[in-house]
Amino acid sequence: MLQLRTDLNSLPVSLQRTRAEVDAALAQMDRRLAEQTAETGKQLSALSARLEVLSGDVAALSARADDMNHRLEALRKAAARPGAPAPVAPSAPTGQAPAPPRPTTGALLPEDVYQAAYIDFSKGGYLLAITGFRDFLRRFPDHKLADNAQYWIGESYLALAHSYANAGQQDDKATQALEEAVREFRRVITNYPRGDKVPTAIYKEALALLDLKKPAEARTRLQYLIDNFPRAEETPLARDRLTALKP
């Protein structure tokens, strides 16, 4: 009986010690979980930043590829136009007048107008590029490069907004340029729904919405891109961006 009473008296002490050990173990688990969560957050932030850089690299490479294609096309058109230099003919015999030169025309081809605007964009002349691409659309609304021209108007406004922000200029200028970028990217989808620039325009529209602090609208556009263009190059980027945006 004495031993039983002793055991019963020591039971609360044992329970208290066990509870303390459990509390300590739980606290340690909480600390580890918090550390792992913080580390995961850092890794996700780093991954998101890396994806943003890669997205910019892809856009730059795409722009360079477009530039090369349009240069080649412009050269082919220039070689075939009526005013192109003709092969040098043999000298006329003495006493005969030389053959008259071929007539030339001063008309610009659509590719010339497009290329001039694209060169302005590539040099950072975004306002000039916007004017040039709009002039192209006004003159040649049904040209095969019309959807590209509309896309580059949006890209020009997006780049203009970033240049304002990087220069530390007024926020309202950057905000206005971002809003214009959203509108111009949407015109790609509305006016050229079958154009090859539609997926890129949707993704860039979502990025502009994020810069405008409109994450809900950005998530909607990213999900639209994923659902409607599952094989587009921008779709994996959209999935990663959407995952990072989820609460």
Side-chain angles (χ1 to χ4, degrees):
M1 290 294 295
L2 181 61
Q3 182 63 38
L4 179 59
R5 183 175 297 175
T6 302
D7 292 342
L8 289 174
N9 290 334
S10 63
L11 185 59
V13 177
S14 299
L15 288 174
Q16 186 175 4
R17 184 181 301 112
T18 301
R19 180 178 298 174
E21 292 174 353
V22 170
D23 290 342
L26 289 174
Q28 186 176 7
M29 291 176 62
D30 288 341
R31 285 195 300 271
R32 289 181 179 177
L33 181 60
E35 291 173 357
Q36 291 175 356
T37 301
E39 182 64 25
T40 301
K42 291 179 181 179
Q43 292 177 357
L44 286 175
S45 298
L47 179 60
S48 177
R50 179 58 179 163
L51 288 173
E52 182 66 25
V53 172
L54 290 175
S55 176
D57 292 343
V58 169
L61 289 173
S62 177
R64 291 183 63 184
D66 284 346
D67 184 30
M68 294 299 297
N69 289 333
H70 299 321
R71 285 175 184 269
L72 290 173
E73 183 68 18
L75 288 174
R76 285 195 292 267
K77 295 288 186 180
R81 75 177 65 177
V88 178
S91 300
T94 304
Q96 293 185 9
R102 297 179 62 182
T104 60
T105 62
L108 287 175
L109 293 176
E111 290 79 5
D112 297 329
V113 180
Y114 182 95
Q115 186 65 21
Y118 186 84
I119 289 173
D120 287 331
F121 174 85
S122 64
K123 291 181 178 180
Y126 304 123
L127 291 175
L128 288 174
I130 291 168
T131 300
F133 285 123
R134 282 182 172 162
D135 183 51
F136 175 88
L137 291 174
R138 180 181 60 81
R139 294 188 185 190
F140 316 105
D142 299 323
H143 194 272
K144 63 181 180 180
L145 291 174
D147 61 327
N148 290 50
Q150 180 61 58
Y151 168 81
W152 286 110
I153 293 174
E155 192 72 58
S156 296
Y157 273 116
L158 186 59
L160 190 63
H162 291 164
S163 68
Y164 286 150
N166 293 335
Q169 297 188 18
Q170 297 178 356
D171 290 341
D172 56 347
K173 281 189 173 183
T175 299
Q176 184 178 0
L178 287 170
E179 291 172 347
E180 289 290 344
V182 169
R183 282 190 285 268
E184 298 298 339
F185 283 134
R186 286 181 180 173
R187 286 193 177 102
V188 177
I189 306 158
T190 302
N191 298 341
Y192 312 97
R194 297 184 179 180
D196 58 1
K197 285 293 186 182
V198 169
T200 310
I202 297 172
Y203 182 71
K204 289 303 184 71
E205 177 195 347
L207 295 186
L209 288 169
L210 287 175
D211 288 340
L212 286 168
K213 305 297 187 293
K214 296 180 178 180
E217 293 184 38
R219 283 195 293 267
T220 299
R221 301 307 290 158
L222 291 171
Q223 190 62 56
Y224 179 86
L225 172 59
I226 294 169
D227 293 341
N228 291 275
F229 302 93
R231 297 184 179 180
E233 293 181 1
E234 295 78 13
T235 299
L237 296 175
R239 287 197 185 96
D240 293 336
R241 181 71 65 170
L242 192 60
T243 300
L245 287 173
K246 288 182 178 179

